[in-house]
Amino acid sequence: MKVILDDIENISPYGMLGIAGVICGIVYLWLITRKTDIDFSDVIYVYVWSAIGVMVGAKLLYILIEMPQITEVLKQYIALGSIGDGSITIKDYAVGLLSGGFVFYGGVFGGLLSLVIACRYFGYDRDSMFMVITPALPLAHAFGRVGCTVAGCCYGIETDGIISIVYHNSRYAPVGVRLFPVQLVEAAGDIVIFVILVYIILRNSNVKNAALGYQKPGSHRGFSGRIVLYIYLLMYAVLRFVLEFLRGDAVRGHWLFFSTSQWICMLVLVYVIPALLKSQKDC
């Protein structure tokens, strides 16, 4: 399959597909709360706070990774009073830095932190919120990766294989080169993870009991919402670690033999595997 993507600069993939992902997440939450007896309005409230945390966290990690380049730009501006050939002002550079560029794992950590803070502040049960909201993350992320495909960012390695994407007009990906569609593969993987997580929730015999704990924190034993979160983090870390070898861009940075994202994946696995085993023993 060879896909030709033209005129992508006239499309706003992140905006359109981001909205679609959010809407699909809301539809999913409405359906899953009907199965778990958790109040939909409370879940949406936490979902919104988590979404804000995702955006802030993804941007902050991106800025952190880009800090060496940002430092060089600032040094150049201080020394010469301009950036590059002078066609870009410091204001333009700052606006571009803030409007574009996100790192997914920063969004994950930011979203989880916002969820924990919101649950503590408003008195919601954290485990129950983890249980129902976690699958919305890979669902929305799948739409985001489709957006990456349209825009050309996060592109794959060059390939002579049957499955490839060729960009004729992209500000990010190489033009006229056959690239492996790693963004679409990750989107498909996210959908598979989403389906598995929903299946785990719906098939667990103690889901109703877990939902009751949402009203009385700490009052239930049995199925824990943290298990859904840990399974998601485990599956995505493995998926992302493997797919990083098929990416051709170097925006996310490298250290030694692995990318920044792969190092994060390994750290996530070191934490999640023991935590998942412990949670299963406690249930």
Side-chain angles (χ1 to χ4, degrees):
M1 178 183 68
K2 185 177 181 181
V3 181
I4 307 296
L5 300 178
D6 294 314
D7 299 325
I8 62 172
E9 290 184 335
N10 297 324
I11 300 175
S12 178
Y14 295 111
M16 294 185 298
L17 291 167
I19 292 173
V22 170
I23 293 174
C24 287
I26 293 173
V27 172
Y28 150 74
L29 290 172
W30 180 77
L31 293 172
I32 201 68
T33 50
R34 289 166 61 89
K35 298 292 185 179
T36 57
D37 292 339
I38 300 177
D39 189 85
F40 174 69
S41 61
D42 290 342
V43 171
I44 285 297
Y45 199 62
V46 177
Y47 179 66
V48 171
W49 281 104
S50 298
I52 295 173
V54 166
M55 297 298 294
V56 173
K59 174 57 66 176
L60 288 178
L61 186 54
Y62 170 75
I63 292 176
L64 181 62
I65 293 175
E66 289 290 303
M67 191 56 67
Q69 180 180 349
I70 294 173
T71 302
E72 290 301 318
V73 169
L74 291 177
K75 288 181 179 179
Q76 183 184 47
Y77 181 77
I78 293 173
L80 304 177
S82 63
I83 301 175
D85 59 1
S87 60
I88 301 177
T89 66
I90 190 67
K91 179 181 178 180
D92 293 335
Y93 180 79
V95 170
L97 185 67
L98 294 175
S99 62
F102 296 91
V103 177
F104 175 72
Y105 263 123
V108 172
F109 300 142
L112 293 177
L113 178 60
S114 296
L115 185 149
V116 170
I117 293 174
C119 287
R120 177 172 295 183
Y121 184 81
F122 296 107
Y124 300 139
D125 180 67
R126 186 171 57 189
D127 279 2
S128 296
M129 292 299 174
F130 278 147
M131 181 181 68
V132 296
I133 293 178
T134 293
L137 187 55
L139 178 61
H141 191 207
F143 282 87
R145 282 309 185 200
V146 175
C148 291
T149 306
V150 178
C153 62
C154 309
Y155 56 86
I157 59 176
E158 293 187 25
T159 180
D160 294 325
I162 299 176
I163 301 177
S164 65
I165 291 179
V166 177
Y167 292 92
H168 284 188
N169 183 19
S170 173
R171 68 179 65 179
Y172 306 110
V175 174
V177 179
R178 297 179 64 185
L179 303 172
F180 181 76
V182 66
Q183 311 102 314
L184 292 179
V185 174
E186 185 170 342
D190 279 327
I191 293 298
V192 171
I193 292 173
F194 166 75
V195 172
I196 292 174
L197 295 179
V198 174
Y199 176 81
I200 290 172
I201 294 173
L202 296 180
R203 289 285 295 182
N204 193 282
S205 61
N206 293 320
V207 165
K208 295 289 185 178
N209 292 333
L212 295 177
Y214 144 78
Q215 297 177 352
K216 296 181 180 180
S219 64
H220 69 275
R221 290 182 58 84
F223 184 78
S224 171
R226 286 173 294 177
I227 292 179
V228 178
L229 173 64
Y230 294 152
I231 291 175
Y232 162 67
L233 293 174
L234 175 64
M235 289 191 294
Y236 180 74
V238 174
L239 174 68
R240 181 63 179 269
F241 185 89
V242 173
L243 291 182
E244 283 290 296
F245 290 113
L246 300 175
R247 284 181 61 166
D249 65 317
V251 175
R252 63 219 179 281
H254 282 77
W255 185 62
L256 296 180
F257 305 105
F258 302 111
S259 69
T260 302
S261 296
Q262 286 175 315
W263 285 109
I264 295 176
C265 288
M266 287 187 281
L267 292 175
V268 168
L269 290 174
V270 168
Y271 171 78
V272 166
I273 293 176
L276 180 59
L277 294 175
K278 183 178 184 300
S279 294
Q280 290 179 322
K281 289 180 180 180
D282 292 340
C283 290

